[in-house]
Amino acid sequence: MHSFVRLSLLASAALIAVPAAAETTAPADQATTSAGTGAGAPEEEILVTARRRAEASQDVPFAISVVGGEHLDNTGAFNVGRLQQLTPTLQFYTSNPRNSAANIRGLGAPFGLTNDGIEQGVGIYVDDVYYSRAASSTFDFLDVARIEVLRGPQGTLYGKNTTAGALNVTSRQPTFDFEGRAEVSIGNLAFKQAKAAVSGPLSDSVAARLALSATSRKGTIFNRATGNWINAQDNLGLRAQLLWRPSGNVDVTLAGDYSAQDAECCGQIYVSVAPTQRSLNRQFAALAAAQGYVVPSTDPFARITDLDADLNAGNKIGGASLRVKWDAGAGTFTSVTAWRFWDWKPANDRDFIGLPITTSSNNPSQQRQYTQEFRYAREAGALDFVAGLFGFHQTVRTQGIQVQGPAASRWLLNPSSSLAAIPAVLDGLTANNDIRLDNTSAAVFGQVSWKINDALTLQPGVRINYDRKKGLYSSSVTGTASDGARRPVLFSGPYSTNPWIVAQRGVLSPQRFEPEFSDWNFSYDLNLSYKIAPDVLAYATYAKTFKSGGINLNGVPNDAAGNPLLAAGSVKPESLNHYEAGLKAQFWDRRITFNLSGFRTDIDDFQALVSNGQLGVLRGYLANAEKARTQGIEWDLSVRPSERFNAYVNGAYTDATYVCFVDAPCPPELSGGASSPANCDISGQRLPGVSKWALSWGAEGNVAARLLGQQSEVYLGVDGSYRSNFSSNPSPSAYTWVDGYALTNLRLGFRTEGGFNLFGWVRNAFAVNYFEQLAVPSGNTGLIVGSPGDPRTWGGTIKFEF
């Protein structure tokens, strides 16, 4: 049964079972709003828990963006990919759920290559539970009260060390008064989305909450080879919480969640062809002509492809957590115990065209993680502090497979070789990969706030961290020898000199190594804040922090004898020096909020995709660039003169560059020839994925009315975002710059005091053609592929709350 239909039946049953809600005041974590919504009085404070205690966001002495659940719903920002349109310094990239990454201020994860052995620089936390897999970012938000986007290092406050920032997601909690909400949306492209939540008491000391969500949508690209629309959406999410309050100062919350995706996704399609240094007969035009192949369209925004391999994004994630909060009088003790899983079952077309070159290239994975955090927070007089212990263990098991097809010989082998004319040489060539990771980390962290006087606060923090990673990369390759028999592809042995086997080794190479990494590091930060006036806060921060080292689990280059270069098996930690200063101010009886921050982060041993001639490397892998730097200015401005109108403009200027990177992989236009350099010096060039300018803006106005017998509002809202151009290749290439673009979204509707809301919406209202990402496939034929962004979409939403 389709996930949308399953959810609708479940939601209906849940809401019918709940009696009418009693009037209640929402807890602090549910009453928050964000700039851009029409709810709330102008003077209403936005409460956050970024520093592990409830406080006004304007009192937090570092850069933070807060997006309320209502604003997420009204703008259609139901996942991280759409959240980035509301928060300019957040960048999110995905070609499929496994190959996803969130970056803040240009830092986070290495661009262009997913590697299980590398840590994420942006932490994702949901109700205090750390999500280690970026794949969780591709799921729909589920019953969210608010999202805090924290910018800059957060290791002295959060369990897992995060050097770029964190997404702190707070879901709506169980209540001891009955309440419920339901929402249904429909739109073009067969878009259907349903959400429902119900909460209430089971006894005087036990309350429960159940939330459900489902989304489905037809794909945006037509695959001529199968007759299907690909890059579809098909998501289902469930979340249940049970709150036990044995006394007035103890809360015990047991939570479980499960989400699944099963869409025909994710295909990247032909965009263009760039000249490389290869001989002309080994570039795309000649290779395609040799097999009589013509792409179905040279216009990527015609949204037509002919991918001939299976596509699927089978993705399941979930877990359980137990959170205990005890108000001990002098402070609050919190324990968070969690287990999570992620199962990934993909099907990909990795030659990106309609020829059977690579018929299978899949890496199904199973991840399990266990976390335990103990935290004690004390608020008393002039001296507050937070201290914590954190433990993390993760296992990842991946069973990769790559299979070459009958068109591979002519496409991948040198046309001057007679073997290129024999399809059987590479047809059926298969690599089976066994990839394993055991990842353990532990930390002690803490932060002290010393109120020197009513205006001046000094806040030092420290973190001691231990990381250990053990891995396995084992790739066994089998192919057909010239005698027609299936043989192992090896560097030595009876058939190692067979000409077919030699040719096969140049395409898929066997390899086995067991990388390891372990290290201790010490991080610290110092923050000074000063209340210039009751509603004006100035602050400055210095942080010395580290991003954990890692191990390469996508293979490393071999030496001339076929042995893996073990020196490339591990990656050193990044060392960061971070500087930041800012101002937070409110004026006109808090009707105007203006926040400004400037930052600079210097990174030594920046983790990146490299090729290192000193090791004799001939292909890219993850290692360390000598130095990188990101710096910039950010601002948030919101105006709420009355309950009838509000507006906001948020922006960021980010200058993120490689300071010293002398052994980077060369861009495609400088690669592939006999005399091409093994590596290129890209020092001074921009980091990938980072726009120099990013903006988000919005406004909403309403007029009072009386509809359905209730006091109501008719409202009109607009939200928009802009990103300037950015490089979509680890080394900047003239052919992989994504042009800047601006997106505009509109909504018109009415809502009542009783919780009814009906509105129509248009996303990408001006039908802007843009790319989310461009990529250079392996082989360096000059082919450039990409992921076109969503076209104009429209629809309607109806919501009930009680």
Side-chain angles (χ1 to χ4, degrees):
M1 188 184 296
H2 196 281
S3 61
F4 181 85
V5 177
R6 294 198 302 268
L7 176 78
S8 300
L9 294 174
L10 288 167
S12 300
L15 291 174
I16 291 171
V18 178
E23 187 172 337
T24 182
T25 300
D29 66 347
Q30 296 182 35
T32 60
T33 61
S34 61
T37 65
E43 69 275 5
E44 192 172 71
E45 289 186 329
I46 299 176
L47 299 180
V48 298
T49 56
R51 291 197 294 174
R52 302 307 197 181
R53 57 180 180 264
E55 58 186 334
S57 63
Q58 290 299 106
D59 292 334
V60 177
F62 56 78
I64 177 175
S65 299
V66 187
V67 184
E70 180 182 359
H71 196 42
L72 293 170
D73 293 340
N74 289 347
T75 58
F78 55 79
N79 57 31
V80 174
R82 292 191 172 183
L83 176 66
Q84 69 174 335
Q85 296 179 18
L86 304 177
T87 54
T89 54
L90 173 67
Q91 301 97 30
F92 180 71
Y93 312 100
T94 180
S95 57
N96 64 36
R98 183 175 187 269
N99 292 297
S100 300
N103 287 358
I104 293 176
R105 296 172 169 173
L107 303 179
F111 188 91
L113 181 65
T114 294
N115 192 312
D116 292 328
I118 302 295
E119 300 284 354
Q120 302 295 317
V122 175
I124 300 175
Y125 294 86
V126 179
D127 293 337
D128 289 344
V129 176
Y130 174 69
Y131 284 38
S132 65
R133 296 302 307 188
S136 61
S137 307
T138 65
F139 285 100
D140 294 354
F141 296 136
L142 187 57
D143 201 23
V144 168
R146 71 177 180 278
I147 297 176
E148 302 161 16
V149 182
L150 287 60
R151 308 194 288 272
Q154 304 296 325
T156 63
L157 274 175
Y158 283 75
K160 191 68 174 170
N161 196 26
T162 52
T163 54
L167 303 181
N168 187 29
V169 181
T170 300
S171 63
R172 297 181 175 95
Q173 300 298 299
T175 59
F176 283 95
D177 293 305
F178 281 110
E179 66 175 39
R181 59 181 62 221
E183 173 184 323
V184 175
S185 301
I186 58 173
N188 67 328
L189 299 178
F191 175 78
K192 296 184 286 291
Q193 186 177 72
K195 303 177 183 179
V198 61
S199 180
L202 301 181
S203 70
D204 290 341
S205 60
V206 178
R209 187 177 191 94
L210 176 65
L212 319 162
S213 175
T215 303
S216 67
R217 194 193 71 180
K218 185 178 77 172
T220 57
I221 297 172
F222 181 70
N223 189 354
R224 184 179 292 175
T226 62
N228 297 337
W229 289 86
I230 65 171
N231 295 0
Q233 295 177 359
D234 186 9
N235 302 342
L236 173 67
L238 310 171
R239 183 176 180 83
Q241 299 178 83
L242 195 65
L243 169 63
W244 176 42
R245 185 168 291 164
S247 64
N249 62 345
V250 176
D251 279 359
V252 181
T253 304
L254 177 65
D257 67 276
Y258 172 82
S259 295
Q261 294 175 334
D262 191 23
E264 188 168 352
C265 187
C266 302
Q268 293 179 294
I269 65 173
Y270 175 98
V271 173
S272 64
V273 173
T276 75
Q277 296 298 310
R278 270 188 161 193
S279 58
L280 290 178
N281 66 349
R282 300 200 69 187
Q283 297 194 40
F284 184 87
L287 293 170
Q291 302 202 44
Y293 175 74
V294 178
V295 295
S297 175
T298 57
D299 176 10
F301 296 107
R303 300 177 184 274
I304 299 173
T305 189
D306 60 350
L307 302 179
D308 57 341
D310 291 338
L311 292 178
N312 185 254
N315 197 14
K316 296 179 181 179
I317 195 167
S321 66
L322 180 67
R323 182 172 59 181
V324 180
K325 299 184 77 170
W326 172 38
D327 184 353
T332 301
F333 173 80
T334 303
S335 170
V336 183
T337 307
W339 166 82
R340 298 203 60 75
F341 75 90
W342 176 62
D343 290 339
W344 169 236
K345 190 176 181 180
N348 302 306
D349 190 322
R350 284 300 182 219
D351 56 47
F352 306 101
I353 58 175
L355 286 175
I357 302 165
T358 301
T359 57
S360 182
S361 179
N362 312 319
N363 286 285
S365 293
Q366 305 81 42
Q367 183 225 240
R368 305 295 181 263
Q369 75 166 62
Y370 309 84
T371 56
Q372 175 64 58
E373 183 172 352
F374 296 110
R375 192 171 63 246
Y376 183 75
R378 180 180 183 271
E379 295 182 62
L383 201 64
D384 301 340
F385 70 85
V386 175
L389 299 171
F390 179 76
F392 170 84
H393 182 69
Q394 173 193 40
T395 61
V396 182
R397 300 293 184 262
T398 301
Q399 308 81 37
I401 185 171
Q402 180 167 330
V403 181
Q404 304 306 138
S409 293
R410 187 173 290 275
W411 193 271
L412 300 175
L413 300 181
N414 192 323
S416 62
S417 168
S418 61
L419 298 181
I422 307 174
V425 173
L426 295 185
D427 188 15
L429 179 65
T430 301
N432 287 284
N433 302 329
D434 181 7
I435 306 171
R436 305 180 188 183
L437 171 68
D438 289 280
N439 182 10
T440 301
S441 67
V444 179
F445 61 93
Q447 196 174 86
V448 175
S449 295
W450 175 30
K451 298 179 178 65
I452 298 172
N453 55 42
D454 290 342
L456 184 63
T457 300
L458 183 66
Q459 184 173 280
V462 297
R463 179 186 184 89
I464 300 173
N465 201 90
Y466 174 73
D467 289 286
R468 184 186 69 194
K469 297 179 175 72
K470 298 181 67 176
L472 167 68
Y473 180 85
S474 177
S475 179
S476 59
V477 182
T478 56
T480 302
S482 57
D483 62 1
R486 297 289 291 178
R487 306 289 184 186
V489 176
L490 300 172
F491 282 91
S492 61
Y495 289 89
S496 60
T497 58
N498 183 282
W500 287 28
I501 299 295
V502 173
Q504 292 162 8
R505 284 203 306 264
V507 176
L508 294 176
S509 176
Q511 189 173 88
R512 179 187 172 91
F513 63 100
E514 299 184 31
E516 293 188 19
F517 172 85
S518 64
D519 194 22
W520 290 86
N521 60 59
F522 176 70
S523 304
Y524 57 91
D525 55 39
L526 181 65
N527 176 276
L528 187 68
S529 61
Y530 185 76
K531 277 275 189 181
I532 300 173
D535 288 330
V536 181
L537 176 71
Y539 65 88
T541 299
Y542 168 72
K544 175 67 175 179
T545 187
F546 296 85
K547 180 183 175 186
S548 171
I551 55 178
N552 269 301
L553 290 177
N554 285 348
V556 296
N558 291 324
D559 62 18
N563 300 310
L565 290 170
L566 299 181
S570 61
V571 183
K572 292 186 291 186
E574 292 181 352
S575 176
L576 292 85
N577 286 284
H578 175 76
Y579 314 86
E580 185 165 342
L583 185 72
K584 295 188 171 187
Q586 291 181 298
F587 310 99
W588 193 18
D589 294 329
R590 298 187 175 181
R591 290 178 172 87
I592 297 177
T593 299
F594 177 68
N595 298 334
L596 179 68
S597 62
F599 66 91
R600 179 183 173 108
T601 306
D602 295 310
I603 310 104
D604 291 334
D605 293 322
F606 182 72
Q607 295 170 359
L609 184 67
V610 306
S611 56
N612 191 322
Q614 293 178 345
L615 294 177
V617 172
L618 299 177
R619 68 180 184 183
Y621 67 105
L622 284 175
N624 300 96
E626 188 173 351
K627 288 182 182 294
R629 182 214 65 216
T630 180
Q631 60 186 6
I633 298 174
E634 304 161 338
W635 68 91
D636 302 300
L637 172 65
S638 65
V639 181
R640 308 172 108 191
S642 74
E643 63 182 9
R644 298 293 172 220
F645 179 77
N646 62 86
Y648 68 93
V649 178
N650 307 325
Y653 171 79
T654 307
D655 175 21
T657 61
Y658 296 110
V659 175
C660 184
F661 194 3
V662 298
D663 56 357
C666 293
E669 59 266 34
L670 298 178
S671 302
S675 59
S676 296
N679 48 63
C680 287
D681 184 353
I682 61 171
S683 302
Q685 299 197 44
R686 201 189 305 181
L687 292 183
V690 185
S691 297
K692 283 205 168 184
W693 293 97
L695 302 170
S696 65
W697 62 87
E700 184 180 290
N702 66 77
V703 296
R706 190 162 185 84
L707 299 169
L708 303 179
Q710 298 184 52
Q711 188 62 37
S712 308
E713 296 173 348
V714 176
Y715 62 91
L716 173 66
V718 58
D719 293 279
S721 63
Y722 167 76
R723 292 190 66 182
S724 63
N725 71 341
F726 63 91
S727 169
S728 190
N729 195 56
S731 294
S733 165
Y735 304 102
T736 57
W737 284 93
V738 173
D739 292 336
Y741 57 88
L743 303 177
T744 304
N745 310 317
L746 304 172
R747 61 184 183 277
L748 173 67
F750 76 90
R751 53 184 169 237
T752 70
E753 287 185 339
F756 176 80
N757 192 354
L758 175 66
F759 62 95
W761 44 265
V762 182
R763 295 187 59 82
N764 190 6
F766 301 112
V768 174
N769 288 330
Y770 68 101
F771 290 106
E772 293 183 343
Q773 198 172 8
L774 297 175
V776 179
S778 60
N780 202 42
T781 65
L783 175 63
I784 308 294
V785 298
S787 303
D790 283 350
R792 177 195 291 130
T793 57
W794 49 265
T797 298
I798 185 169
K799 299 168 61 176
F800 301 91
E801 296 182 16
F802 56 86

